[in-house]
Amino acid sequence: MALYFQKEEEGVEPDKFMFPLALKVCGGIVSFQIREKIFLDAVRLGFANDRFVLKSLFDMYAKCGDILKARSVFDKIDSKEFVSWNIITICSIKGVSYSYHARERHRIMELMESEGILPDIITLVSLLSACANLRAGFIDEAYDIAKVGMGLAMGPTIWGALLYACYLHGNVVIGEIAAQKLFELERVNELNFELLMKIY
């Protein structure tokens, strides 16, 4: 950060390479004023729509917990990578309310589908965790998300997260389905059986 402001004092304008670096550093800075100043400099100098600046800005807002700004910037990024999808999925877990959270999660899945992107394991686990940690009504949605990912090599992490959610909320039907998948994947893991028994 010192280099950024030193350059400014010397009258040297930052370029499109300096902004991503400065924004990355800002992810660890609590000062709202510093973050916004660097962003406004990027806008003033015409870099507000630069792909690398946008990705760095998105990452900064996500790290600082400014979820609404992170989502706003995410929507402006043309070529989204899995890292960006995973970050926005995790941000959606921190939605303001249950109904907002559900709408946001559906929006993310629809966006991925419209761009022809299948969620990877990290995205699926994030979405499943979000569903599991909220309330029992989201278990069906979590199962739907798990079914979407069945084209992937669905491992015990996904089915274990779903089984645990079913245990937390007492969903026997989906719990049995998740347990069956786990029994096929991990024949010798007794913990899966014990967790299923706790649902009853």
Side-chain angles (χ1 to χ4, degrees), residues 69-169:
K69 284 187 180 177
R71 287 185 185 135
S72 175
V73 173
F74 176 80
D75 290 337
K76 295 176 185 173
I77 298 172
D78 286 334
S79 57
K80 299 170 180 75
E81 300 157 348
F82 271 116
V83 172
S84 298
W85 285 108
N86 292 334
I87 290 170
I88 200 64
T89 302
I90 292 166
C91 284
S92 79
I93 295 170
K94 301 174 183 176
V96 184
S97 67
Y98 290 129
S99 60
Y100 179 82
H101 173 78
R103 283 193 313 270
E104 184 64 14
R105 195 175 54 256
H106 284 294
R107 186 179 80 87
I108 291 167
M109 291 301 288
E110 287 171 0
L111 277 171
M112 289 182 84
E113 190 175 305
S114 72
E115 295 192 19
I117 296 173
L118 285 174
D120 67 357
I121 297 298
I122 296 170
T123 311
L124 288 172
V125 170
S126 298
L127 290 167
L128 285 170
S129 297
C131 294
N133 290 323
L134 287 176
R135 60 182 179 187
F138 287 125
I139 298 295
D140 292 334
E141 290 182 42
Y143 178 58
D144 289 341
I145 291 167
K147 288 191 297 189
V148 167
M150 284 185 178
L152 301 170
M154 297 289 289
T157 304
I158 299 291
W159 294 112
L162 187 58
L163 179 60
Y164 183 71
C166 292
Y167 157 71
L168 288 177
H169 302 292

Side-chain angles (χ1 to χ4, degrees), residues 10 13 20 25 30 42 51 53 75 89 95 135-136 159 183 194:
E10 294 171 357
E13 296 281 8
V25 172
V30 180
R51 182 176 140 206
V53 171
D75 290 337
T89 302
R135 60 182 179 187
W159 294 112
F183 296 155
E194 290 173 17

